[in-house]
Amino acid sequence: MRGFAMLKIGETGWIEKPKPVAGPYDAIVAPLAIAPCTSDIHTVYSGAIGERHNLILGHEAVGQVVEVGKEVSYIKAGDRVVVPAITPNWRTLQIQHGVPHQHSESLLSGWKFSNDKDGVFAEFFHVNDADMNLAKLPNEISLEAASMMPDMMTTGFHGAELANIQIGSNVAVIGIGPVGLMGVAGAVLRGAARIFAVGSRPKCVELAKFYGATDIVNYKNGDIVQQILDLNHGQVDHVIVAGGNESVLGQAVEMLKPGGTIGNINYFGEGKTLDIPRLAWGCGMAHKTIYGGLCPGGRARMERMIAIVLAGRVDPSKLITHPFKGLEGVEKGLNLMKDKPAEVVKPLALI
Ligand code: NAD
Ligand code: ZN
């Protein structure tokens, strides 16, 4: 089968590999829609997970099941499914001990696609623990909307969950790429009052308003912390961090009220340490909490994403700015993500 792969750090290309084989609990899926991600760019061009050779990329997919293992009973060949980016091994004792499923075997072990096995940018891909990881896609939902569930929706919403947003609270969302935009939508779902979206690209600003941001804060107009303090007449209750470098957590702490919560879903690719401003953190006594997490995966989580779209609460398909036809579209999409012209939010390849 053909797949689009990381050949080595800094290099991608098409390769041939044998079709994967399903173990007793697994499924083999053929993609219907696949989306390149900022994380694929980090993997290939920043060496985020270290060197890999001929590793098929991609972890955001909707597909059709072509084969299931002998112990799989809920999922059948022919089913159209949403495939979460995070596909934990649910049969671990750690989960019974309360370890988050994202880390059920070891740190970040739930992230398998294009990390410790081939990803979804191929004619076929392998899904572990199919009954517990795959969600059946209802016919009413478009492939465009469904393809934003495996990572963009679940990650952005997780930012709102980690920030512990309460009804009527004021929230800042730093970074309004596709993840931050779903953070804005998640803040709305959790009942935020004002939502300050920090970003500057016109397409992202337009979408932030569409998803429910009440205020836009542009770093080009001055220090973002001061702008938010001025607009909000003080610090905010919660911050979602979905973009920025090592200094962004410090900004989040500065704009946050004592007792407030930060939900970080951003990937920090550089620096040995992350700085927390001592005084703004009350010299350690401000009751300002920082949570950071990998997006939730698994079937139940994807079924919740499906429920939200079915109920008409959020339309994630608006994130797709660059649709392509065919498997080859992932190469075009990934190159777009790499070069990042201002109008790109999310590319998609429809197969
Ligand atoms: P993106 O690059 O499309 O969006 C990030 C946005 O943040 C960009 O628009 C960028 O201009 C903006 N930005 C950068 N520095 C900023 C700053 N200092 N202040 C405000 N905005 C700033 O990426 P994305 O796909 O939306 O993903 C966002 C982050 O989430 C990335 O770091 C990505 O790796 C990470 N991510 C995490 C998970 C997870 O499970 N936790 C999953 C997917 C993506
Ligand atoms: Zn992704």
Side-chain angles (χ1 to χ4, degrees), residues 322-335:
H322 292 72
F324 294 100
K325 268 269 166 227
L327 190 58
E328 290 68 26
V330 291
E331 182 174 13
K332 296 177 187 144
L334 197 77
N335 287 336

Side-chain angles (χ1 to χ4, degrees), residues 4-172:
F4 188 66
M6 168 177 178
L7 305 180
K8 59 179 186 178
I9 289 177
E11 213 176 296
T12 57
W14 291 94
I15 59 170
E16 287 284 335
K17 277 201 173 181
K19 187 179 165 191
V21 176
Y25 294 99
D26 309 336
I28 304 302
V29 178
L32 296 169
I34 41 183
C37 176
T38 316
S39 308
D40 294 308
I41 300 297
H42 294 149
T43 298
V44 176
Y45 298 103
S46 318
I49 57 169
E51 186 59 283
R52 297 285 196 281
H53 294 286
N54 301 330
L55 175 76
I56 293 176
L57 290 163
H59 53 266
E60 300 183 16
V62 179
Q64 185 154 34
V65 177
V66 293
E67 183 190 330
V68 296
K70 65 180 181 9
E71 301 295 340
V72 176
S73 56
Y74 171 70
I75 294 293
K76 310 267 186 244
D79 285 346
R80 290 180 350 134
V81 288
V82 177
V83 186
I86 302 305
T87 54
N89 174 7
W90 293 95
R91 299 170 59 83
T92 60
L93 208 52
Q94 287 94 317
I95 290 182
Q96 293 189 34
H97 279 300
V99 173
H101 69 256
Q102 294 89 332
H103 316 287
S104 64
E105 290 154 293
S106 58
L107 183 69
L108 306 180
S109 61
W111 176 24
K112 300 190 186 305
F113 291 126
S114 74
N115 186 6
D116 65 7
K117 72 172 184 183
D118 283 325
V120 301
F121 294 170
E123 289 174 281
F124 302 99
F125 58 87
H126 169 275
V127 180
N128 61 296
D129 216 344
D131 279 344
M132 289 295 105
N133 279 321
L134 294 174
K136 293 183 190 175
L137 177 64
N139 288 332
E140 302 91 301
I141 296 181
S142 69
L143 290 177
E144 286 83 351
S147 64
M148 295 297 101
M149 296 173 186
D151 190 354
M152 299 299 98
M153 269 181 98
T154 180
T155 305
F157 288 4
H158 199 41
E161 291 163 339
L162 292 172
N164 195 22
I165 293 171
Q166 302 293 310
I167 290 176
S169 57
N170 292 339
V171 180

Side-chain angles (χ1 to χ4, degrees), residues 38-39 42 151 155 174-180 198 201 242-244 265-267 293-295 340:
T38 316
S39 308
H42 294 149
D151 190 354
T155 305
I174 305 181
I176 46 170
V179 168
V198 181
R201 293 190 281 147
I265 40 184
N266 191 39
Y267 160 77
L294 179 67
C295 58
K340 262 292 164 58

Side-chain angles (χ1 to χ4, degrees), residues 149-273:
M149 296 173 186
D151 190 354
M152 299 299 98
M153 269 181 98
T154 180
T155 305
F157 288 4
H158 199 41
E161 291 163 339
L162 292 172
N164 195 22
I165 293 171
Q166 302 293 310
I167 290 176
S169 57
N170 292 339
V171 180
V173 181
I174 305 181
I176 46 170
V179 168
L181 288 167
M182 288 296 98
V184 170
V188 172
L189 288 173
R190 289 186 67 115
R194 284 178 84 177
I195 301 174
F196 304 92
V198 181
S200 60
R201 293 190 281 147
K203 184 68 195 171
C204 295
V205 166
E206 177 199 321
L207 285 170
K209 289 179 184 162
F210 171 80
Y211 285 119
T214 56
D215 300 76
I216 303 296
V217 174
N218 186 337
Y219 73 93
K220 291 178 185 158
N221 298 334
D223 176 44
I224 62 163
V225 176
Q226 196 55 52
Q227 287 188 64
I228 287 176
L229 296 182
D230 291 345
L231 283 167
N232 192 45
H233 308 296
Q235 290 160 314
V236 292
D237 302 288
H238 313 280
V239 184
I240 298 175
V241 180
N245 57 22
E246 313 85 88
S247 62
V248 73
L249 269 188
Q251 292 176 308
V253 170
E254 280 170 6
M255 65 178 75
L256 186 72
K257 269 182 193 165
T261 327
I262 295 168
N264 178 80
I265 40 184
N266 191 39
Y267 160 77
F268 292 103
E270 284 176 27
K272 260 200 168 151
T273 56

